[in-house]
Amino acid sequence: MSTLAKTPDVVAEISERSNFDVEAVRRDFPVLHQQVHGKPLVYLDNAATTQKPLAVIEAISEYYRADNSNIHRGVHALSERATEAYERVRVAAQKLINASESKEIIFLRGTTEAINLVAQTYGRKNVGAGHEVLITAMEHHSNIVPWQMLCDEKGARLRVAPINDRGELLLDEFEKLLSPKTKLVCVAHVSNALGTVNPIKQIVRMAHAHNTPVLVDGAQAVARMKVDVQDLDCDFYAVSGHKLYAPTGIGFLYGKAKLLEAMPQWQGGGDMIASVTFEKTIYNCLPYKFEAGTPNIADTIGLGAAIQYLNRLGLDNIEQHEADLLRYATEQLDRIPGVSIVGRAKEKAGVLSFVIENIHPHDIGTILDSEGIAVRTGHHCAQPVMQRYGIPATARASFALYNTQAEVDALVRGIRKVQEVMS
Ligand SMILES: Cc1ncc(COP(=O)(O)O)c(C=O)c1O
């Protein structure tokens, strides 16, 4: 029997339940409609970055055609329009993650910059010699290195909570590592290398019992599920726009107002000040205190269009669609001899890392590319995860709202081809 034979009950269930018209969605994404090496593009590298819908591309283009101006400082019409549009996106971002106030949203380049901001402000103020920062063994480098840098500078210690073979955080071990020395917990909502969805509410409850605030790396989560920072009760939440169908170079940090207000300013310059003399500078209030200089206005407008697009499709629908694809893909890959999935957490989002016996992931990626299939191969900026599993790298297929079962079938055919070519 062909390994592509679909499990009938899965397919029936998916088409019956889904009121999500994936073909209509695909028409919104111009980049998807192209051939690569003479084959239709199958884009499965969404954990690295997502494609952009026309609504986003046009919002940016329209901004430059009609409204381009610097914000916050002008009294003329264009500047007022640009300022209003920019600030409307702040409210859209606030609503997307259910923050209680829009001033709790700080626009930045993305997750990496958001984590660095917290490390260099909150961290520098509150982490000292003998203190500890607690992370997990499944973090992306951008949720490891800023804390290593801080700990090195301050004489503090980076502690790492272990994971089991399925790629789940060992909560008991995590809790044991919490102590009065722990000044911050930093954890991914969804692991980009394993797909694991972490139990953030539980983690926050445990950390707060020790009066320790929690930073959540939300890079892989916000486009895949409804996020409610008030319900999670996390203290900081970091987001990259380009992973949620918005442009590169824009993202945001959520922080509880009380914490953000108490944090020292970060970069100095225009907009982050209330008044300046050579003797003394008075700093601006939130959120501007952390937004020095001319921000990335056009891409913020693009982020607003992306959020609107996600809201229109419904995050519940998107989550369900990706869960169906993940389940189907997992079943199909499990049927191929020699293929092993890395990361089998019970709670998992649309990220599927795998290895093939005796074939280097780089070769998998290259041969799949020749079939028009884009997957990521390597350590996925999570080298400690690879060390945990004793492998140099994986191949990673990651799903988005525009992917289809037919694309999973193409991936399976591609993997078969890889095995043929490399045998
Ligand atoms: C879990 C996770 N954290 C952080 C990042 C870094 O995001 P960015 O490069 O957009 O700052 C990524 C990007 O792949 C990620 O997947």
Side-chain angles (χ1 to χ4, degrees):
M1 192 175 103
S2 157
T3 51
L4 288 184
K6 299 178 177 84
T7 320
D9 52 331
V10 174
V11 176
E13 200 189 314
I14 291 172
S15 45
E16 199 177 285
R17 188 180 47 223
S18 183
N19 52 2
F20 183 85
D21 184 353
V22 69
E23 290 308 326
V25 167
R26 289 179 70 78
R27 287 195 286 277
D28 294 335
F29 290 83
V31 77
L32 296 178
H33 307 285
Q34 62 175 290
Q35 305 253 312
V36 170
H37 307 303
K39 311 271 168 57
L41 169 65
V42 174
Y43 186 79
L44 298 174
D45 194 18
N46 297 288
T49 199
T50 52
Q51 299 301 346
K52 318 307 170 199
L54 263 176
V56 168
I57 297 166
E58 281 170 1
I60 297 166
S61 163
E62 190 53 29
Y63 167 75
Y64 278 125
R65 281 170 200 275
D67 297 328
N68 178 47
S69 182
N70 211 331
I71 56 167
H72 294 151
R73 291 182 273 266
V75 291
H76 61 81
L78 262 60
S79 178
E80 283 185 359
R81 283 210 301 266
T83 303
E84 265 172 40
Y86 181 84
E87 290 302 331
R88 266 200 307 274
V89 181
R90 201 186 301 278
V91 174
Q94 173 206 346
K95 290 187 174 151
L96 179 73
I97 59 165
N98 195 33
S100 54
E101 298 177 85
S102 66
K103 69 178 185 185
E104 295 179 316
I105 304 293
I106 314 294
F107 287 127
L108 296 159
R109 277 194 298 131
T111 303
T112 303
E113 196 168 40
I115 295 172
N116 276 280
L117 187 158
V118 177
Q120 288 177 36
T121 57
Y122 185 90
R124 274 200 172 140
K125 188 174 170 191
N126 294 289
V127 177
H131 291 158
E132 294 179 352
V133 175
L134 176 56
I135 63 171
T136 82
M138 70 178 93
E139 299 308 316
H140 186 280
H141 294 165
S142 60
N143 204 21
I144 302 173
V145 183
W147 307 118
Q148 261 171 345
M149 289 161 64
L150 177 72
C151 289
D152 281 352
E153 181 186 317
K154 295 290 187 172
R157 184 173 174 201
L158 188 68
R159 305 301 302 268
V160 183
I163 58 176
N164 64 21
D165 288 345
R166 290 192 302 275
E168 293 160 330
L169 181 63
L170 292 168
L171 274 174
D172 290 352
E173 301 296 320
F174 170 82
E175 194 167 24
K176 277 190 223 150
L177 286 167
L178 286 165
S179 79
K181 287 190 265 182
T182 319
K183 294 300 161 194
L184 197 60
V185 165
C186 309
V187 58
H189 198 164
V190 174
S191 155
N192 68 307
L194 301 169
T196 310
V197 182
N198 276 313
I200 298 297
K201 267 179 98 160
Q202 235 172 316
I203 289 169
V204 169
R205 231 179 286 128
M206 287 174 174
H208 283 181
H210 292 261
N211 292 321
T212 306
V214 178
L215 175 143
V216 180
D217 169 352
Q220 294 296 337
V222 271
R224 301 183 188 279
M225 61 187 70
K226 261 191 184 150
V227 171
D228 181 336
V229 289
Q230 291 187 72
D231 182 50
L232 295 174
D233 198 24
C234 58
D235 301 277
F236 300 104
Y237 197 95
V239 174
S240 290
H242 71 99
K243 308 221 193 244
L244 61 104
Y245 310 97
T248 49
I250 185 67
F252 58 89
L253 169 71
Y254 156 81
K256 285 181 179 166
K258 220 166 70 185
L259 288 176
L260 291 175
E261 263 150 14
M263 277 154 54
Q265 51 290 342
W266 187 34
Q267 294 174 338
D271 241 24
M272 55 76 75
I273 53 89
S275 72
V276 177
T277 65
F278 285 122
E279 288 71 40
K280 185 174 171 62
T281 290
I282 313 262
Y283 298 110
N284 210 339
C285 57
L286 286 180
Y288 313 110
K289 166 180 163 183
F290 292 114
E291 292 181 6
T294 301
N296 185 351
I297 307 164
D299 291 325
T300 307
I301 307 295
L303 172 66
I307 293 173
Q308 213 171 23
Y309 185 81
L310 285 177
N311 289 339
R312 187 158 65 71
L313 291 184
L315 273 155
D316 286 340
N317 292 330
I318 295 165
E319 185 175 4
Q320 188 59 60
H321 178 72
E322 291 187 20
D324 288 341
L325 283 176
L326 179 68
R327 186 157 60 106
Y328 180 62
T330 304
E331 284 176 8
Q332 294 300 320
L333 261 63
D334 273 342
R335 291 176 177 198
I336 310 175
V339 172
S340 306
I341 291 172
V342 182
R344 290 198 180 262
K346 235 173 114 204
E347 298 298 327
K348 202 174 158 181
V351 173
L352 193 57
S353 265
F354 60 94
V355 290
I356 308 181
E357 217 169 50
N358 301 325
I359 305 177
H360 194 278
H362 185 77
D363 294 325
I364 302 175
T366 307
I367 297 167
L368 287 178
D369 177 58
S370 72
E371 296 296 302
I373 302 166
V375 298
R376 185 133 302 232
T377 56
H379 52 62
H380 317 297
C381 292
Q383 282 182 330
V385 173
M386 302 300 126
Q387 284 149 19
R388 166 67 179 75
Y389 287 92
I391 48 179
T394 72
R396 180 187 71 187
S398 50
F399 304 113
L401 49 81
Y402 39 66
N403 289 125
T404 65
Q405 279 185 61
E407 290 183 311
V408 174
D409 293 340
L411 173 68
V412 171
R413 278 195 302 274
I415 291 172
R416 287 261 177 222
K417 172 99 186 257
V418 172
Q419 288 179 314
E420 261 168 51
V421 172
M422 299 301 292
S423 65

